[in-house]
Amino acid sequence: GGGGAGKRKTRAAGEEGVDADDDPENLALQVVAQKPKTVDDRAVSIVGVPSQQPHPKPGMNRTSSLDAPIMLLEGHGDAVNSIKFSPDGATVASCGADKTVLMWNVRGDCENYMMMQGHKNSVLELHWTADGDNILTCSPDKTLRLWDATTGESVKCMKGHQSFVNACSAAPKGKPLCVSGSDDGTAKLWDFRRKGEVATFADRFQVTAVAFDAEGDRFFSGGLDNVLKCWDIRNDAEPYMVLPGHTDTITGIAVAPDGSHVLTNAMDCTLRAWDVRSYAPEDRCVKYFVGHQHNFEKGMLKCGWSPDGAKVTAGSACRNVFVWDFDSRRVLYKLPGHEGAVNEVAFHPKEPIIGSAGSDGKIYLGELAD
């Protein structure tokens, strides 16, 4: 535990999405005052943020309880790899290459009120447990850790992988389980009440992404063989479904809130949606979304769903935050601001707020317009 050293600034948002086809020159520049980094208020710097509002009026229609339409959270000393809102929406947790997990208030000044330390290498991914009591993390230090979200203590360290642990996922319901994916070519199932792994699911390639399904009795994995695999947690012999289609490494997997579809982000610069229901069409890849980028940095860019399943999002190396409409596949928002790759974008569970984690060490919380 311990207090965090985070600073935050407020900034006005580009209120509307920028469609991928829009001409940037048609966008009005919205000029706003930005709080400077200095403690006193002597200097005020001016920044321009593209917005589709031709004449921004003061007191635009606000859609969330954020202090300002965009909040900038600064406190990480290096790239921020992953970000997730707590189930109740009051807290956002982030983790990064500075080996820390930071906890922030969503409301008010977005204060960084706690720092969790224990991993000996970069923290690559984090998830809240379904009850909101704990946070699960993984790291190239070959371990996963479970943290008490209230005290900040590391309550469990899961050792068993022979190499980097790239990905983790906590069961959304049922038993207190989690799954992990590693460069050792395995996914492992863990029970928080037991020592050591419960099961090992062997693959021939490095596993770079994992996600539990909505019920907690299956999980999905992806890796360097570009294939999405579906596993039953009771059968570690082989996956019960193998879904090829991507032409490069899968970097992120996210399951729809209703469990019907799975989203995959991959280095082939596509975001794909797969129908994983029992009676699905033969070609289960039902949609793909484009616009975002992967590049030479080979980042583990994640993906995610809005709570109602109507929107999807993905990390992108082009420094923009992308949100698509799931049904029409249209880019609803393409939001600038980060000065490095966007590694993950997360939706707030209750309000039209997204959080983004960047390789520039910054986190933005921004509200989406109506």
Side-chain angles (χ1 to χ4, degrees):
K7 304 188 293 287
R8 60 89 215 165
K9 291 181 285 188
T10 61
R11 203 180 94 181
E15 299 290 324
E16 298 270 341
V18 181
D19 205 288
D21 305 318
D22 280 346
D23 179 0
E25 290 176 2
N26 295 339
L27 300 174
L29 263 184
Q30 176 180 347
V31 178
V32 298
Q34 175 177 326
K35 273 198 179 164
K37 282 190 181 172
T38 49
V39 178
D40 54 17
D41 282 330
R42 278 181 308 212
V44 175
S45 59
I46 301 297
V47 295
V49 183
S51 165
Q52 282 187 319
Q53 305 285 355
H55 302 292
K57 301 180 211 48
M60 281 181 176
N61 291 340
R62 294 293 309 280
T63 59
S64 79
S65 60
L66 287 179
D67 252 17
I70 284 195
M71 303 291 288
L72 169 58
L73 282 52
E74 290 188 292
H76 277 288
D78 205 336
V80 190
N81 295 322
S82 186
I83 180 172
K84 296 287 190 315
F85 291 96
S86 58
D88 66 4
T91 305
V92 64
S94 60
C95 64
D98 60 4
K99 308 177 189 175
T100 70
V101 178
L102 298 185
M103 306 281 274
W104 315 77
N105 290 321
V106 171
R107 296 181 180 83
D109 279 354
C110 294
E111 180 196 6
N112 166 215
Y113 66 87
M114 194 157 63
M115 176 192 288
M116 284 112 91
Q117 290 176 291
H119 278 298
K120 296 175 177 60
N121 204 325
S122 179
V123 190
L124 296 181
E125 186 168 10
L126 65 74
H127 289 273
W128 292 80
T129 53
D131 55 16
D133 292 344
N134 298 98
I135 288 173
L136 174 71
T137 57
C138 64
S139 169
D141 67 10
K142 305 181 188 176
T143 70
L144 296 93
R145 280 181 186 262
L146 191 69
W147 309 81
D148 185 314
T150 308
T151 66
E153 281 181 89
S154 175
V155 292
K156 188 173 176 67
C157 182
M158 289 159 266
K159 298 176 179 173
H161 280 297
Q162 303 301 307
S163 186
F164 294 1
V165 186
N166 298 311
C168 59
S169 178
K173 57 170 72 164
K175 294 177 182 168
L177 304 173
C178 73
V179 64
S180 57
S182 168
D183 275 1
D184 65 12
T186 69
K188 286 182 186 289
L189 181 71
W190 311 80
D191 186 323
F192 298 146
R193 302 162 299 186
R194 290 170 56 179
K195 191 173 167 65
E197 67 264 39
V198 178
T200 297
F201 304 79
D203 209 334
R204 295 204 313 279
F205 298 89
Q206 289 103 310
V207 181
T208 48
V210 292
F212 254 108
D213 81 333
E215 295 302 315
D217 53 8
R218 306 184 296 174
F219 73 90
F220 303 91
S221 71
L224 264 64
D225 59 351
N226 321 335
V227 176
L228 178 64
K229 293 171 184 161
C230 320
W231 304 82
D232 186 314
I233 63 170
R234 294 162 298 238
N235 176 15
D236 58 15
E238 58 182 0
Y240 69 86
M241 197 156 57
V242 176
L243 301 174
H246 279 296
T247 57
D248 207 339
T249 301
I250 295 172
T251 60
I253 303 175
V255 178
D258 67 0
S260 62
H261 290 76
V262 172
L263 208 56
T264 51
N265 191 2
M267 291 184 189
D268 59 13
C269 297
T270 67
L271 178 69
R272 293 177 184 242
W274 310 80
D275 189 331
V276 293
R277 292 173 290 195
S278 303
Y279 305 103
E282 195 167 327
D283 183 6
R284 289 178 176 268
C285 182
V286 290
K287 280 182 169 40
Y288 62 96
F289 306 82
V290 293
H292 67 303
Q293 295 296 317
H294 288 245
N295 67 6
F296 62 91
E297 293 169 10
K298 301 284 185 191
M300 289 295 119
L301 309 181
K302 317 274 191 292
C303 51
W305 296 82
S306 62
D308 61 2
K311 300 182 190 75
V312 295
T313 181
S316 180
C318 72
R319 307 180 175 189
N320 290 299
V321 170
F322 282 86
V323 177
W324 292 264
D325 177 75
F326 181 72
D327 284 338
S328 71
R329 307 202 318 265
R330 197 169 70 86
V331 174
L332 297 176
Y333 298 89
K334 181 184 177 184
L335 304 171
H338 281 286
E339 290 153 16
V342 177
N343 294 314
E344 180 162 29
V345 183
F347 284 92
H348 191 278
K350 297 175 178 175
E351 294 189 63
I353 297 170
I354 52 172
S356 57
S359 289
D360 56 1
K362 292 175 179 164
I363 295 161
Y364 285 105
L365 303 186
E367 68 181 33
L368 299 176
D370 288 332

